[in-house]
């Protein structure tokens, strides 16, 4: 197989990997914030349920969670699943998994804020919602960016786990090509793709972090 053809095939797989990455961030970031609120709720029932959810998501492999989400509708409810559900199952699995991790990062950032910030906002007449989104949350974002960057980079590499439900992302295609052509070149190209993508994300996050550095 010509190198150009191999590159085109792997590039199509990379687009699927990028799609999984972007959709996961789109849903997991806001969902993680909601989960964080539940985790910090004063309602003991809600807090227990959310804590259990986080524990399960963090304590079981993402690969297993994908299999449950994909095969669950059929084996539990008897619902027939279509081929198109494969990618949807991946989106759901990644979103609920990473939301749990993001929730704990959010919680750490929120709990690190001095109580004086809340008291000052209350004196100025801010409501709880205004206090959080106008004063607390912007500072939390700045504090949690390094941890978020690590999780986002991990997410890029975790997209390769989609092969479990036969989603043809880049790593799956690399394995197929390497097996049929008996060559290591697809894995080398895939490694370069992953590295460049991770590097771009790291550079973007670093610039965002510098932009939010109020002390310089």
């Amino acid at each position: 197989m010509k190198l150009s053809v191999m590159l085109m095939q792997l590039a199509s797989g990379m687009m699927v990997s990028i799609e999984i990455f972007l959709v996961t961030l789109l849903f997991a970031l806001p969902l993680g914030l909601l989960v964080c609120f539940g985790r910090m709720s004063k309602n003991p029932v809600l807090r227990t349920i959310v804590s259990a959810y986080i524990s399960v998501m963090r304590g079981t492999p993402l690969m297993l969670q994908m299999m449950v989400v994909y095969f669950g509708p059929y084996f539990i409810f008897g619902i027939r699943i279509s081929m198109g559900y494969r990618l949807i199952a991946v989106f759901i699995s990644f979103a609920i998994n990473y939301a749990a991790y993001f929730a704990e990062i959010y919680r750490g950032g929120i709990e690190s804020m001095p109580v004086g910030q809340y008291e000052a906002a209350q004196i100025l007449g801010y409501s709880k919602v205004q206090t959080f989104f106008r004063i607390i949350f912007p500072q939390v974002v700045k504090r949690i960016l390094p941890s978020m960057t690590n999780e986002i980079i991990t997410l890029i590499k975790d997209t390769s786990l989609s092969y479990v439900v036969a989603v043809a992302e880049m790593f799956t295609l690399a394995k197929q090509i390497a097996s049929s052509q008996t060559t290591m070149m697809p894995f080398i190209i895939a490694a370069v793709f992953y590295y460049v993508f991770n590097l771009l994300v790291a550079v973007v996050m670093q610039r965002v972090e510098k932009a939010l550095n109020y002390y310089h």
Side-chain angles (χ1 to χ4, degrees), residues 27-43 46-58 95-108 110-111 132:
F27 288 97
L29 287 173
L31 179 58
L33 189 58
L34 291 176
V35 173
C36 172
F37 291 153
R39 176 70 174 80
M40 299 176 68
S41 172
K42 294 181 180 179
N43 185 318
L46 178 59
R47 190 170 62 248
T48 300
I49 293 172
V50 173
S51 297
Y53 158 75
I54 292 174
S55 179
V56 171
M57 290 297 105
R58 297 174 68 193
I96 61 176
N97 177 275
Y98 272 86
Y101 286 93
F102 289 154
E104 288 299 275
I105 293 175
Y106 284 134
R107 185 172 68 89
I110 293 171
E111 291 182 345
F132 181 78

Side-chain angles (χ1 to χ4, degrees), residues 58-79:
R58 297 174 68 193
T60 58
L62 175 56
M63 187 182 300
L64 176 60
Q65 293 165 22
M66 271 191 286
M67 294 177 70
V68 170
V69 172
Y70 181 66
F71 294 109
Y74 178 75
F75 287 105
I76 298 175
F77 303 106
I79 301 174

Side-chain angles (χ1 to χ4, degrees), residues 71-136:
F71 294 109
Y74 178 75
F75 287 105
I76 298 175
F77 303 106
I79 301 174
R80 292 188 176 276
I81 51 179
S82 63
M83 295 293 291
Y85 180 64
R86 295 179 189 274
L87 191 56
I88 295 174
V90 171
F91 291 155
I92 294 172
S93 304
F94 272 77
I96 61 176
N97 177 275
Y98 272 86
Y101 286 93
F102 289 154
E104 288 299 275
I105 293 175
Y106 284 134
R107 185 172 68 89
I110 293 171
E111 291 182 345
S112 70
M113 296 300 299
V115 178
Q117 297 274 352
Y118 296 92
E119 294 173 346
Q122 187 176 14
I123 292 173
L124 292 173
Y126 283 94
S127 67
K128 289 184 178 180
V129 174
Q130 289 175 325
T131 299
F132 181 78
F133 286 104
R134 292 186 180 182
I135 299 175
I136 303 301

